[in-house]
Amino acid sequence: MKNKYIIGALLVGIISLFASCSDDNDSNPTLIQPKEFVLNTPAYANATIDLEKSTGLELTWSQPKYTADNAPINATYEVQVSPTNSFTVSTDEAAADESGEKVPDYAVLSNTTQKCNISASAEEMDKALVKILKWTEENVPAEQEMYVRVNAYILEGTSRLNPVASNSVKLNVKPYYIELKDAVPTMWYLVGNMFGAKWANDKNIGVDALPMFLKPNFSYDKKTGAGEIEYTNYFLTGDYNDKAECDGAGFKILPASFNWDYSMNADGATKGTIIYRNGGSDGGHIVAPEAGYYTITLNTADNTAKMEKYEGAVNNYGTIQISGSFNDWTDTAMLPYNTEGVENHAWYYVMDVPAGDTAQFKFKIAGSWETSWGYGAEDGAINMYGKCESGGKNIGLAEGKYVISFNDITGAFSIVKL
């Protein structure tokens, strides 16, 4: 018997036949208030969508008529989700109500777009249902109705002008329980020739995709996990071929979904540029303008990124060791981010802490404790990112499998749980 649930892989790309809208701006349009616009019914609307096995649900819509002659204009679009088809009080509005009287009946997903299509996060949709319907782990239903609509507006500074909502589309979903807690910071992954010619073919974090670093002292969005992540190291450079690729030095940056349509690429074949593909045509390899030290900063809230020269002092340690309770405080060499043989200052190690155990560790140079790095208020305190101190405290980890990264230029460490 056919499985009636559609997993996320089947949802990607099936909406390409639906209408989309232009990104162009008219020179000086006069705004009018649109009365309506159409959210297209997706092809998967008659199936039951397994939210736990899905990554994104592709949605498309028509452009609202914001000018008298319907000239293209850059409207902003957000996706709204309701279990009851009522869109009166959002979860954000209810959370901000100090009286506690407002009861939410819909949620607004975090990602917005200025195109007429989006890959809406299945996980965020599920969180919205759990929050609105107040499910516990024991009472999540096998199936649930979910209504989706798109809200459009013109963003001027912080003001939302001429808002208009689309029709809603009913979807049938298989929800799952997810604990409502602060979101894990959003991570992106480095792949390519600069990193041992590993291109995430197996989507194996810590093997063929290397995490960027969470930024020390940065406060990430508690709801979405959005914020700034960074990466500092020595970069090679080289020349582009006719495919905008660069042997040895070229690379790209992938989101956690490993969806290449939403990767970070170069702007064509222009060195030192990084742009978000956002479902558009493929770009070139990212390549440093010249060989040297650079910091890449990626804002996961608006999907912008930049590559800037690093001007600080650099010590070349050659190797960095990780030492801790897991190896009786002996030296274990961390692996380099850069291709073997290229000067490197970012290092990683995959650690598996057995169930019921904890681990403590520090970073150090080979054969000596005279130069070592630690972090935290006390030995064994669990922190997932920060800026290490010379000779600092032992970093703690609970049970689980992790990719531990350390940067010997900045002193930053960052841990991703697998």
Side-chain angles (χ1 to χ4, degrees), residues 328-341:
D328 294 325
W329 297 97
T330 58
D331 285 1
T332 298
M334 300 184 76
L335 297 173
Y337 269 60
N338 283 347
T339 300
E340 192 72 35

Side-chain angles (χ1 to χ4, degrees), residues 98-386:
E98 295 182 357
S99 71
E101 295 178 355
K102 292 186 176 181
V103 178
D105 54 21
Y106 79 99
V108 180
L109 303 192
S110 59
N111 285 345
T112 62
T113 183
Q114 290 190 327
K115 295 188 174 184
C116 286
N117 63 280
I118 198 170
S119 180
S121 168
E123 180 179 337
E124 274 200 77
M125 289 177 166
D126 189 77
K127 283 183 178 179
L129 296 175
V130 172
K131 189 168 188 176
I132 294 168
L133 298 173
K134 299 181 179 180
W135 287 331
T136 64
E137 193 168 4
E138 291 74 27
N139 67 356
V140 177
E143 293 187 9
Q144 172 68 42
E145 291 181 356
M146 181 178 73
Y147 296 85
V148 178
R149 75 176 188 179
V150 175
N151 187 53
Y153 53 88
I154 305 298
L155 190 61
E156 187 174 283
T158 57
S159 299
R160 298 184 172 197
L161 308 179
N162 301 57
V164 60
S166 74
N167 58 296
S168 64
V169 170
K170 178 184 173 182
L171 301 175
N172 295 308
V173 299
K174 179 185 178 184
Y176 65 101
Y177 180 74
I178 185 168
E179 186 178 353
L180 298 176
K181 56 184 180 180
D182 290 353
V184 174
T186 303
M187 183 53 68
W188 286 62
Y189 297 89
L190 301 159
V191 299
N193 297 333
M194 188 71 226
F195 311 107
K198 300 169 183 175
W199 289 96
N201 293 329
D202 294 324
K203 301 178 183 179
N204 194 343
I205 298 169
V207 177
D208 58 9
L210 301 179
M212 293 182 67
F213 282 65
L214 299 177
K215 197 170 181 178
N217 302 317
F218 193 94
S219 296
Y220 291 89
D221 189 291
K222 292 182 179 181
K223 178 182 176 183
T224 66
E228 291 185 356
I229 55 178
E230 60 186 4
Y231 176 75
T232 299
N233 209 342
Y234 179 84
F235 288 83
L236 298 174
T237 192
D239 296 325
Y240 285 108
N241 61 20
D242 57 2
K243 297 181 180 179
E245 298 170 346
C246 180
D247 291 340
F251 64 98
K252 294 188 177 184
I253 312 176
L254 285 175
S257 66
F258 291 101
N259 187 337
W260 287 95
D261 291 340
Y262 297 91
S263 61
M264 293 285 177
N265 320 298
D267 188 358
T270 304
K271 294 181 182 180
T273 61
I274 306 176
I275 60 171
Y276 181 45
R277 183 172 172 180
N278 197 24
S281 58
D282 195 8
H285 287 182
I286 303 166
V287 180
E290 58 186 32
Y293 306 105
Y294 293 87
T295 295
I296 295 173
T297 304
L298 194 159
N299 188 321
T300 64
D302 59 12
N303 294 323
T304 57
K306 58 186 177 181
M307 187 177 198
E308 299 176 304
K309 270 203 165 186
Y310 178 80
E311 304 290 354
V314 176
N315 292 318
N316 194 351
Y317 296 103
T319 64
I320 292 293
Q321 311 294 311
I322 186 170
S323 179
S325 57
F326 69 98
N327 64 357
D328 294 325
W329 297 97
T330 58
D331 285 1
T332 298
M334 300 184 76
L335 297 173
Y337 269 60
N338 283 347
T339 300
E340 192 72 35
V342 177
E343 182 180 339
N344 179 73
H345 298 276
W347 312 86
Y348 70 97
Y349 179 77
V350 179
M351 182 183 291
D352 198 344
V353 182
D357 286 358
T358 59
Q360 297 186 29
F361 63 91
K362 295 175 77 168
F363 309 106
K364 62 188 290 292
I365 61 172
S368 173
W369 282 99
E370 289 185 5
T371 302
S372 67
W373 299 267
Y375 183 82
E378 60 184 9
D379 285 338
I382 295 175
N383 294 280
M384 300 302 281
Y385 66 103

